[in-house]
Amino acid sequence: MSRVGIGILSILSFSTVLYFSLQNSYFRTGYTDFKVFYAGARLAGSPQLYDSQKIRETFYEATGSRLPDWANHIAFTRMPWVAAALWPLGKLSYAAAFWTWQVILTLSFVAFLAVCPHKQVWPFAGLSLPLIHSWAVGQDSALLLLLVALALRCCSSGWHFTAGLLLSLGACNKPHLFVLLPLMLWSLRLPSIFKGLVLGGAVLTGISFWIMGATWPLSYYRGVLTNPAIDTWKGSMTSFASAPAGLIPWLTVLTIGLVWWALRQTTVIDQGLGLVVVGSLLIAPHSYIYDHTLLLVALPPFLTLGPTLRFFTAFMLLPVIYLVFTARASPLPAGVPLLLLAWLAVAAWHLHALRIRSQHDSLGPPEIARPNLSGSF
């Protein structure tokens, strides 16, 4: 199929699934997860940024609607620099800010399709239930997707330092989704990306201290990290956080080991970053279906590595696993991370086989000793 045909199919698929996804009251009232971003934008620089009660009061002042008492999990969970970046939206009315946010997410998705180095992702992007879900609930997954795609594009152009700066924006926004990134930088020997990552992280952290003061890490710890209500729906997470507590350490060690071993089998940055994203999604302490939007940039590099891995990878990009496994009833949500772990094992073994085959081919056939016909020694 031509690129135009794939593009049309992707748009039609995306529009169809999105239409049905938006037929829910959560989106139609406009009170999606964006309400937290909006309240954070209005509280940017305030010492009460991580106060859940103040978030609810700010939302009420802006909309006239009071959140229910049980919504004590409502809290701004990002670094202060994110609130500062959203500050212009806080100057708008809630309705205007809400629809501006939706436009930003849509444009980010379009930009992702334009810059993504793997065009095989187009039809899967149109069917991505995590992507559509992230848009419907007002999450910023499309922005993260664009940042990672831009970083890969910079890597392909040799701009490794710029790629590190871009990755720092994602890592300082949702660090748990990039927690295994140092493994790739060490294994593939990428000092320029590391320098960009460290510099970008230092600048964003400095901005956070500048706008909120020296005590913001303590406020973050008290308002977010030690708030038991943050993970209200832990059983519905699409990471090992939803597994029995006794299994989590073992599954985490297994995942890190597989990612490290797989990284040792490749020198391709696209593949390395894909392995890192998959592994980070699995061991993340806080991960939901919309976070799996990043699979649209993590899995496509493996679509060309043989029929078995291509089939498994395409299956993981289709919405069927989320339709089947992300039901509220436990233990169905555990099916998603288990399938991703199986994919990681298959990808690691396939990369190992390719490396062995490449080494064998590079040696070539052994030389055959030829007789000395000249009579000399």
Side-chain angles (χ1 to χ4, degrees):
M1 183 181 293
S2 67
R3 288 188 177 182
V4 174
I6 292 176
I8 294 175
L9 176 62
S10 181
I11 292 172
L12 289 176
S13 301
F14 183 82
S15 301
T16 301
V17 181
L18 182 62
Y19 172 78
F20 289 106
S21 299
L22 300 186
Q23 301 307 305
N24 61 77
S25 57
Y26 190 62
F27 179 84
R28 296 175 70 168
T29 58
Y31 299 155
T32 65
D33 290 359
F34 174 70
K35 60 181 175 288
V36 176
F37 292 118
Y38 182 74
R42 293 175 70 94
L43 291 172
S46 167
Q48 296 174 302
L49 179 62
Y50 298 116
D51 186 336
S52 180
Q53 181 61 35
K54 186 60 178 180
I55 291 287
R56 292 198 295 272
E57 291 176 1
T58 301
F59 181 78
Y60 174 73
E61 293 170 0
T63 64
S65 298
R66 194 177 298 278
L67 294 172
D69 293 336
W70 58 262
N72 57 350
H73 65 285
I74 300 299
F76 188 77
T77 59
R78 312 299 173 86
M79 290 176 66
W81 74 265
V82 179
L86 295 172
W87 176 79
L89 291 178
K91 296 301 179 181
L92 303 175
S93 67
Y94 184 80
F98 174 81
W99 288 110
T100 300
W101 181 244
Q102 304 308 317
V103 170
I104 291 173
L105 297 180
T106 303
L107 293 177
S108 298
F109 170 60
V110 174
F112 160 74
L113 292 179
V115 304
C116 183
H118 303 284
K119 299 307 179 185
Q120 304 97 322
V121 75
W122 281 31
F124 296 106
L127 293 171
S128 174
L129 201 58
L131 173 65
I132 295 168
H133 182 72
S134 73
W135 197 88
V137 302
Q139 280 288 333
D140 57 347
S141 302
L143 285 167
L144 288 177
L145 191 66
L146 175 59
L147 285 174
V148 177
L150 284 171
L152 288 177
R153 177 66 71 176
C154 287
C155 287
S156 64
S157 301
W159 302 343
H160 288 185
F161 182 79
T162 304
L165 291 175
L166 289 168
L167 289 174
S168 72
L169 291 169
C172 289
N173 185 20
K174 284 194 167 185
H176 54 293
L177 301 184
F178 299 90
V179 68
L180 296 183
L181 186 57
L183 288 181
M184 185 193 80
L185 301 180
W186 174 264
S187 178
L188 301 187
R189 302 295 190 270
L190 299 169
S192 295
I193 295 181
F194 176 75
K195 292 175 183 177
L197 182 67
V198 170
L199 177 61
V203 170
L204 294 174
T205 303
I207 292 174
S208 297
F209 278 105
W210 178 57
I211 64 176
M212 197 172 166
T215 60
W216 77 262
L218 181 60
S219 299
Y220 185 87
Y221 176 78
R222 291 173 175 173
V224 178
L225 296 183
T226 60
N227 185 353
I230 293 296
D231 294 333
T232 304
W233 296 290
K234 198 165 188 174
S236 299
M237 289 187 185
T238 49
S239 70
F240 290 139
S242 61
L247 291 178
I248 293 178
W250 299 101
L251 292 170
T252 300
V253 171
L254 175 60
T255 300
I256 295 174
L258 278 173
V259 171
W260 174 249
W261 185 61
L263 287 170
R264 303 295 293 175
Q265 315 306 314
T266 184
T267 58
V268 181
I269 294 178
D270 295 26
Q271 296 172 1
L273 189 57
L275 294 168
V276 162
V277 168
V278 171
S280 298
L281 284 171
L282 285 174
I283 67 174
H286 187 96
S287 174
Y288 291 102
I289 178 175
Y290 48 75
D291 292 317
H292 284 230
T293 300
L294 287 177
L295 293 181
L296 286 174
V297 75
L299 298 187
F302 300 88
L303 287 171
T304 58
L305 299 184
T308 301
L309 186 56
R310 178 169 61 245
F311 175 81
F312 200 178
T313 301
F315 177 71
M316 295 304 300
L317 287 170
L318 292 174
V320 59
I321 64 169
Y322 298 98
L323 292 172
V324 172
F325 290 112
T326 55
R328 289 285 183 184
S330 179
L332 282 179
V336 175
L338 288 177
L339 278 173
L340 268 182
L341 182 63
W343 177 90
L344 186 59
V346 171
W349 180 257
H350 197 83
L351 289 173
H352 173 70
L354 287 176
R355 184 178 68 85
I356 297 299
R357 187 185 311 161
S358 176
Q359 289 177 346
H360 181 269
D361 292 342
S362 66
L363 293 176
E367 289 190 14
I368 301 175
R370 297 184 180 183
N372 190 335
L373 301 179
S374 65
S376 62
F377 294 92

